[in-house]
Amino acid sequence: MAHPPALGRPVRCAVVTVSDTRTVESDLSGQLLQTLLAEAGHQVSDYRIVPDEPQQIRPLCQTLAAQVDCIILTGGTGIAPRDTTYDAIAALLEKTLPGFGEIFRQLSFQEVGSRAMASRAVAGVYQSTLIFSLPGSSKAVTLAMEALILPELPHLISLMQA
C-alpha cells in the first residue's frame, strides 16, 4: 500500500503543560515544545498550563481536539500520586500508538537507565487528533520531539486524513 502524499501544510498544534507549580515564565518544557514545533515549520495555535487534575485535562483535550491536528502534553506521566495525565489521556484515546511509549522508554533507558520504566508516556488518536503525552523534563521533551515526534508528525497526520 502506498503512503499518502505529504501533508503540504504546517501541522496545527496545541501545547499543554500539566503542572501544579509551573508558570508561563518557569515552564521550560512548554517553551521548548513551542520552539521545536515552530522551528520545524509547524503552527502552535494554543498553549496552556493546567493543574494535574483529570477533570481539567480531559475536557481541555476534548475542546482542543476540535481545533488542532495534534496536542502535545508535558508533565504528569510518572507514578507519583499527583501524576494523573496518563490516566486522563488514556481514557480518551480511541486508537493508541503503543510503539511511541515503547520506543520512548527504550531511548530514555539509554540516557537515564532503569528509571525510564517509571514513565507512562503515551500517544494515540482522539477524534482524528493526534495526542502525545510526554514527561515534564526538558530532556525528555527534547528526546521525544527530536527522535520520534518531529520526524513522523506530518506523516502521521496525513495517514489520519487519508
mmCIF file of all heavy atoms in Angstrom, residues 77-106:
data_model
loop_
_atom_site.group_PDB
_atom_site.id
_atom_site.type_symbol
_atom_site.label_atom_id
_atom_site.label_comp_id
_atom_site.label_asym_id
_atom_site.label_seq_id
_atom_site.Cartn_x
_atom_site.Cartn_y
_atom_site.Cartn_z
ATOM 1 N N THR A 77 3.286 12.300 33.851
ATOM 2 C CA THR A 77 3.296 10.940 33.303
ATOM 3 C C THR A 77 3.986 9.920 34.198
ATOM 4 O O THR A 77 4.125 8.762 33.806
ATOM 5 C CB THR A 77 3.968 10.904 31.918
ATOM 6 O OG1 THR A 77 5.322 11.334 32.052
ATOM 7 C CG2 THR A 77 3.229 11.767 30.919
ATOM 8 N N GLY A 78 4.401 10.329 35.366
ATOM 9 C CA GLY A 78 5.083 9.406 36.283
ATOM 10 C C GLY A 78 4.083 8.605 37.109
ATOM 11 O O GLY A 78 2.912 8.463 36.750
ATOM 12 N N ILE A 79 4.551 8.108 38.251
ATOM 13 C CA ILE A 79 3.689 7.278 39.093
ATOM 14 C C ILE A 79 3.408 7.899 40.465
ATOM 15 O O ILE A 79 2.782 7.269 41.304
ATOM 16 C CB ILE A 79 4.277 5.861 39.264
ATOM 17 C CG1 ILE A 79 5.660 5.916 39.917
ATOM 18 C CG2 ILE A 79 4.294 5.138 37.932
ATOM 19 C CD1 ILE A 79 6.184 4.550 40.338
ATOM 20 N N ALA A 80 3.847 9.135 40.668
ATOM 21 C CA ALA A 80 3.549 9.813 41.931
ATOM 22 C C ALA A 80 2.039 10.018 42.043
ATOM 23 O O ALA A 80 1.331 10.049 41.028
ATOM 24 C CB ALA A 80 4.278 11.160 41.993
ATOM 25 N N PRO A 81 1.532 10.161 43.255
ATOM 26 C CA PRO A 81 0.080 10.325 43.424
ATOM 27 C C PRO A 81 -0.522 11.456 42.583
ATOM 28 O O PRO A 81 -1.647 11.339 42.110
ATOM 29 C CB PRO A 81 -0.068 10.611 44.924
ATOM 30 C CG PRO A 81 1.108 9.929 45.542
ATOM 31 C CD PRO A 81 2.230 10.085 44.544
ATOM 32 N N ARG A 82 0.184 12.552 42.370
ATOM 33 C CA ARG A 82 -0.348 13.680 41.598
ATOM 34 C C ARG A 82 -0.156 13.516 40.090
ATOM 35 O O ARG A 82 -0.608 14.360 39.323
ATOM 36 C CB ARG A 82 0.292 14.991 42.046
ATOM 37 C CG ARG A 82 -0.120 15.444 43.429
ATOM 38 C CD ARG A 82 -1.569 15.871 43.537
ATOM 39 N NE ARG A 82 -1.877 16.996 42.673
ATOM 40 C CZ ARG A 82 -3.078 17.259 42.181
ATOM 41 N NH1 ARG A 82 -4.094 16.478 42.460
ATOM 42 N NH2 ARG A 82 -3.273 18.289 41.399
ATOM 43 N N ASP A 83 0.506 12.459 39.642
ATOM 44 C CA ASP A 83 0.727 12.228 38.216
ATOM 45 C C ASP A 83 -0.490 11.533 37.615
ATOM 46 O O ASP A 83 -0.612 10.308 37.651
ATOM 47 C CB ASP A 83 1.982 11.373 37.984
ATOM 48 C CG ASP A 83 3.259 12.128 38.294
ATOM 49 O OD1 ASP A 83 3.260 13.368 38.217
ATOM 50 O OD2 ASP A 83 4.266 11.460 38.594
ATOM 51 N N THR A 84 -1.405 12.322 37.042
ATOM 52 C CA THR A 84 -2.657 11.759 36.537
ATOM 53 C C THR A 84 -2.867 11.996 35.042
ATOM 54 O O THR A 84 -3.919 11.648 34.506
ATOM 55 C CB THR A 84 -3.851 12.341 37.304
ATOM 56 O OG1 THR A 84 -3.897 13.753 37.094
ATOM 57 C CG2 THR A 84 -3.755 12.032 38.791
ATOM 58 N N THR A 85 -1.876 12.574 34.370
ATOM 59 C CA THR A 85 -2.056 12.863 32.948
ATOM 60 C C THR A 85 -2.304 11.594 32.150
ATOM 61 O O THR A 85 -3.207 11.552 31.306
ATOM 62 C CB THR A 85 -0.834 13.611 32.380
ATOM 63 O OG1 THR A 85 -0.597 14.774 33.171
ATOM 64 C CG2 THR A 85 -1.074 14.031 30.944
ATOM 65 N N TYR A 86 -1.520 10.564 32.401
ATOM 66 C CA TYR A 86 -1.709 9.313 31.662
ATOM 67 C C TYR A 86 -3.142 8.818 31.807
ATOM 68 O O TYR A 86 -3.781 8.428 30.828
ATOM 69 C CB TYR A 86 -0.733 8.234 32.147
ATOM 70 C CG TYR A 86 -1.034 6.887 31.530
ATOM 71 C CD1 TYR A 86 -0.512 6.547 30.291
ATOM 72 C CD2 TYR A 86 -1.877 5.976 32.162
ATOM 73 C CE1 TYR A 86 -0.820 5.326 29.697
ATOM 74 C CE2 TYR A 86 -2.188 4.760 31.580
ATOM 75 C CZ TYR A 86 -1.656 4.444 30.356
ATOM 76 O OH TYR A 86 -1.972 3.246 29.767
ATOM 77 N N ASP A 87 -3.652 8.821 33.014
ATOM 78 C CA ASP A 87 -4.996 8.318 33.270
ATOM 79 C C ASP A 87 -6.046 9.133 32.505
ATOM 80 O O ASP A 87 -6.978 8.570 31.930
ATOM 81 C CB ASP A 87 -5.281 8.335 34.772
ATOM 82 C CG ASP A 87 -4.163 7.626 35.534
ATOM 83 O OD1 ASP A 87 -4.072 6.398 35.433
ATOM 84 O OD2 ASP A 87 -3.379 8.330 36.188
ATOM 85 N N ALA A 88 -5.877 10.448 32.476
ATOM 86 C CA ALA A 88 -6.822 11.315 31.770
ATOM 87 C C ALA A 88 -6.761 11.083 30.265
ATOM 88 O O ALA A 88 -7.794 11.014 29.594
ATOM 89 C CB ALA A 88 -6.528 12.782 32.090
ATOM 90 N N ILE A 89 -5.555 10.951 29.737
ATOM 91 C CA ILE A 89 -5.380 10.804 28.293
ATOM 92 C C ILE A 89 -5.732 9.395 27.828
ATOM 93 O O ILE A 89 -6.425 9.215 26.813
ATOM 94 C CB ILE A 89 -3.936 11.159 27.879
ATOM 95 C CG1 ILE A 89 -3.634 12.627 28.212
ATOM 96 C CG2 ILE A 89 -3.685 10.877 26.403
ATOM 97 C CD1 ILE A 89 -4.605 13.618 27.639
ATOM 98 N N ALA A 90 -5.279 8.384 28.535
ATOM 99 C CA ALA A 90 -5.542 7.001 28.126
ATOM 100 C C ALA A 90 -7.038 6.744 28.020
ATOM 101 O O ALA A 90 -7.488 5.991 27.149
ATOM 102 C CB ALA A 90 -4.885 6.030 29.090
ATOM 103 N N ALA A 91 -7.828 7.371 28.874
ATOM 104 C CA ALA A 91 -9.279 7.187 28.841
ATOM 105 C C ALA A 91 -9.910 7.825 27.603
ATOM 106 O O ALA A 91 -11.004 7.444 27.204
ATOM 107 C CB ALA A 91 -9.903 7.777 30.106
ATOM 108 N N LEU A 92 -9.236 8.792 26.999
ATOM 109 C CA LEU A 92 -9.750 9.468 25.811
ATOM 110 C C LEU A 92 -9.401 8.759 24.511
ATOM 111 O O LEU A 92 -10.167 8.825 23.549
ATOM 112 C CB LEU A 92 -9.143 10.874 25.706
ATOM 113 C CG LEU A 92 -9.765 12.027 26.436
ATOM 114 C CD1 LEU A 92 -9.021 13.304 26.103
ATOM 115 C CD2 LEU A 92 -11.229 12.164 26.111
ATOM 116 N N LEU A 93 -8.238 8.144 24.447
ATOM 117 C CA LEU A 93 -7.710 7.646 23.183
ATOM 118 C C LEU A 93 -8.600 6.574 22.563
ATOM 119 O O LEU A 93 -8.955 5.597 23.207
ATOM 120 C CB LEU A 93 -6.300 7.116 23.366
ATOM 121 C CG LEU A 93 -5.259 8.143 23.817
ATOM 122 C CD1 LEU A 93 -3.903 7.482 23.998
ATOM 123 C CD2 LEU A 93 -5.176 9.309 22.846
ATOM 124 N N GLU A 94 -8.933 6.783 21.299
ATOM 125 C CA GLU A 94 -9.703 5.810 20.538
ATOM 126 C C GLU A 94 -8.793 4.785 19.871
ATOM 127 O O GLU A 94 -9.198 3.652 19.632
ATOM 128 C CB GLU A 94 -10.547 6.548 19.492
ATOM 129 C CG GLU A 94 -11.557 7.485 20.146
ATOM 130 C CD GLU A 94 -12.032 8.593 19.231
ATOM 131 O OE1 GLU A 94 -11.483 8.765 18.113
ATOM 132 O OE2 GLU A 94 -12.961 9.305 19.632
ATOM 133 N N LYS A 95 -7.592 5.214 19.525
ATOM 134 C CA LYS A 95 -6.540 4.343 18.994
ATOM 135 C C LYS A 95 -5.264 4.718 19.724
ATOM 136 O O LYS A 95 -5.007 5.896 19.961
ATOM 137 C CB LYS A 95 -6.327 4.560 17.493
ATOM 138 C CG LYS A 95 -7.469 4.127 16.638
ATOM 139 C CD LYS A 95 -7.132 4.318 15.167
ATOM 140 C CE LYS A 95 -8.285 3.873 14.293
ATOM 141 N NZ LYS A 95 -7.975 4.039 12.867
ATOM 142 N N THR A 96 -4.483 3.727 20.084
ATOM 143 C CA THR A 96 -3.202 4.020 20.738
ATOM 144 C C THR A 96 -2.058 3.729 19.776
ATOM 145 O O THR A 96 -2.200 2.959 18.828
ATOM 146 C CB THR A 96 -3.010 3.191 22.018
ATOM 147 O OG1 THR A 96 -3.050 1.812 21.671
ATOM 148 C CG2 THR A 96 -4.081 3.505 23.048
ATOM 149 N N LEU A 97 -0.949 4.357 20.030
ATOM 150 C CA LEU A 97 0.303 4.096 19.330
ATOM 151 C C LEU A 97 1.270 3.499 20.352
ATOM 152 O O LEU A 97 2.141 4.191 20.874
ATOM 153 C CB LEU A 97 0.888 5.390 18.749
ATOM 154 C CG LEU A 97 0.100 6.057 17.639
ATOM 155 C CD1 LEU A 97 0.698 7.411 17.299
ATOM 156 C CD2 LEU A 97 0.072 5.170 16.414
ATOM 157 N N PRO A 98 1.133 2.211 20.665
ATOM 158 C CA PRO A 98 1.972 1.618 21.700
ATOM 159 C C PRO A 98 3.457 1.753 21.405
ATOM 160 O O PRO A 98 4.261 1.887 22.317
ATOM 161 C CB PRO A 98 1.553 0.152 21.746
ATOM 162 C CG PRO A 98 0.391 0.008 20.853
ATOM 163 C CD PRO A 98 0.218 1.266 20.070
ATOM 164 N N GLY A 99 3.801 1.751 20.121
ATOM 165 C CA GLY A 99 5.214 1.874 19.749
ATOM 166 C C GLY A 99 5.842 3.164 20.234
ATOM 167 O O GLY A 99 7.027 3.204 20.550
ATOM 168 N N PHE A 100 5.063 4.239 20.323
ATOM 169 C CA PHE A 100 5.625 5.502 20.795
ATOM 170 C C PHE A 100 6.171 5.353 22.205
ATOM 171 O O PHE A 100 7.328 5.662 22.478
ATOM 172 C CB PHE A 100 4.600 6.640 20.741
ATOM 173 C CG PHE A 100 5.103 7.878 21.430
ATOM 174 C CD1 PHE A 100 6.034 8.698 20.820
ATOM 175 C CD2 PHE A 100 4.697 8.185 22.716
ATOM 176 C CE1 PHE A 100 6.539 9.814 21.470
ATOM 177 C CE2 PHE A 100 5.187 9.303 23.376
ATOM 178 C CZ PHE A 100 6.112 10.111 22.751
ATOM 179 N N GLY A 101 5.335 4.876 23.131
ATOM 180 C CA GLY A 101 5.771 4.726 24.518
ATOM 181 C C GLY A 101 6.901 3.728 24.653
ATOM 182 O O GLY A 101 7.852 3.945 25.409
ATOM 183 N N GLU A 102 6.800 2.633 23.909
ATOM 184 C CA GLU A 102 7.840 1.593 23.969
ATOM 185 C C GLU A 102 9.189 2.135 23.506
ATOM 186 O O GLU A 102 10.210 1.959 24.185
ATOM 187 C CB GLU A 102 7.437 0.404 23.091
ATOM 188 C CG GLU A 102 6.207 -0.324 23.583
ATOM 189 C CD GLU A 102 5.588 -1.228 22.526
ATOM 190 O OE1 GLU A 102 6.102 -1.291 21.388
ATOM 191 O OE2 GLU A 102 4.577 -1.878 22.852
ATOM 192 N N ILE A 103 9.183 2.804 22.344
ATOM 193 C CA ILE A 103 10.449 3.326 21.809
ATOM 194 C C ILE A 103 10.962 4.468 22.669
ATOM 195 O O ILE A 103 12.169 4.568 22.932
ATOM 196 C CB ILE A 103 10.287 3.760 20.343
ATOM 197 C CG1 ILE A 103 9.957 2.544 19.476
ATOM 198 C CG2 ILE A 103 11.555 4.436 19.830
ATOM 199 C CD1 ILE A 103 9.512 2.893 18.065
ATOM 200 N N PHE A 104 10.057 5.334 23.147
ATOM 201 C CA PHE A 104 10.488 6.430 24.010
ATOM 202 C C PHE A 104 11.190 5.887 25.256
ATOM 203 O O PHE A 104 12.257 6.361 25.629
ATOM 204 C CB PHE A 104 9.315 7.328 24.416
ATOM 205 C CG PHE A 104 9.715 8.355 25.427
ATOM 206 C CD1 PHE A 104 10.423 9.486 25.045
ATOM 207 C CD2 PHE A 104 9.444 8.174 26.768
ATOM 208 C CE1 PHE A 104 10.848 10.412 25.981
ATOM 209 C CE2 PHE A 104 9.852 9.099 27.714
ATOM 210 C CZ PHE A 104 10.558 10.221 27.310
ATOM 211 N N ARG A 105 10.600 4.887 25.896
ATOM 212 C CA ARG A 105 11.225 4.326 27.108
ATOM 213 C C ARG A 105 12.551 3.647 26.777
ATOM 214 O O ARG A 105 13.497 3.723 27.553
ATOM 215 C CB ARG A 105 10.247 3.386 27.812
ATOM 216 C CG ARG A 105 9.181 4.153 28.594
ATOM 217 C CD ARG A 105 8.215 3.248 29.325
ATOM 218 N NE ARG A 105 7.236 2.658 28.432
ATOM 219 C CZ ARG A 105 6.150 3.283 28.003
ATOM 220 N NH1 ARG A 105 5.889 4.508 28.405
ATOM 221 N NH2 ARG A 105 5.307 2.667 27.202
ATOM 222 N N GLN A 106 12.643 3.017 25.615
ATOM 223 C CA GLN A 106 13.903 2.399 25.207
ATOM 224 C C GLN A 106 14.990 3.460 25.025
ATOM 225 O O GLN A 106 16.102 3.313 25.532
ATOM 226 C CB GLN A 106 13.714 1.616 23.907
ATOM 227 C CG GLN A 106 14.997 1.015 23.379
ATOM 228 C CD GLN A 106 14.827 0.430 21.978
ATOM 229 O OE1 GLN A 106 13.853 0.700 21.285
ATOM 230 N NE2 GLN A 106 15.783 -0.370 21.569
#
